[in-house]
Amino acid sequence: MLNKKELTDKLSDNLIYYRKKAGLTQVQLAEKLNYSDKAISKWERGGSFPDFYVLYELCQLYKIELNDLISNKVDLEKPRKHISRRLITILSTSSVWLLATIIYGVLLIFFQNPPFSWFAFIYAVPISFIVFLILSLIWERKWIPFTALSGVIISIPISIFLSLHLMLDIKNAWFTLIIIIPAEVIAFIAFILKHNISIYKKKNKPLN
């Protein structure tokens, strides 16, 4: 059985966890509950308890049960979920490089080291970023998808440039690199807009 301090610590930790999971700041949550952000901060520091009706509103907002606010499962599930996601991401991107290595080996064995066989590794770079981007869009928030998209935007034109310049001997292949800067700017603006729209929707989402 939890004593008062353990209960307070567990409740404050879970209040922080579920608020961040919902993508809310203390100010945004305070506006939804018609409380001050100082009250939210005090609850999350364990300085006081929210009353029962506030706990009920929080459960409705986060779509959880009251018992979830004082349970230990947050501590157990969060690291486990992050570990499994990272493991899947690592295995997925590693499989791209494994495939590139296999292709390179096959070319060496059966075609007696054909020219540009090492391009298997060049093309593995943008493919790895594409895999990383897809997984980050599914699981991650904030700027990780933007980082993955930046890798895609940079690596694809460079791969095309190397292919045109080295394999096909096209002298003006550098024009493929021009797209990188405007594409990066557009991607950055798009992520800023998406982030602001997401905050606006969460801020104006009515309580159930």
Side-chain angles (χ1 to χ4, degrees), residues 88-102 128 131:
I88 292 173
T89 302
I90 292 172
L91 290 176
S92 299
T93 52
S94 297
S95 65
V96 173
W97 288 93
L98 176 61
L99 180 60
T101 303
I102 292 173
S128 296
V131 171

Side-chain angles (χ1 to χ4, degrees), residues 89 92-100 103 119-135 148 151-156 159:
T89 302
S92 299
T93 52
S94 297
S95 65
V96 173
W97 288 93
L98 176 61
L99 180 60
I103 293 173
F119 262 75
F121 299 107
I122 296 295
Y123 298 140
V125 176
I127 295 174
S128 296
F129 275 115
I130 291 171
V131 171
F132 182 40
L133 174 62
I134 293 172
L135 294 177
V152 173
I153 292 172
I154 294 172
S155 60
I156 288 180
S159 299

Side-chain angles (χ1 to χ4, degrees), residues 60-114:
Q60 294 295 305
L61 177 62
Y62 299 145
K63 294 180 174 57
I64 59 175
E65 301 294 332
L66 184 59
N67 187 58
D68 292 329
L69 290 174
I70 56 174
S71 68
N72 291 318
K73 69 177 184 178
V74 168
D75 298 331
L76 297 174
E77 289 180 354
K78 188 177 179 182
R80 190 179 304 164
K81 185 181 293 185
H82 280 293
I83 291 173
S84 62
R85 289 177 178 179
R86 288 172 184 170
L87 181 60
I88 292 173
T89 302
I90 292 172
L91 290 176
S92 299
T93 52
S94 297
S95 65
V96 173
W97 288 93
L98 176 61
L99 180 60
T101 303
I102 292 173
I103 293 173
Y104 179 73
V106 169
L107 292 174
L108 287 181
I109 294 172
F110 294 99
F111 297 94
Q112 298 181 350
N113 194 21

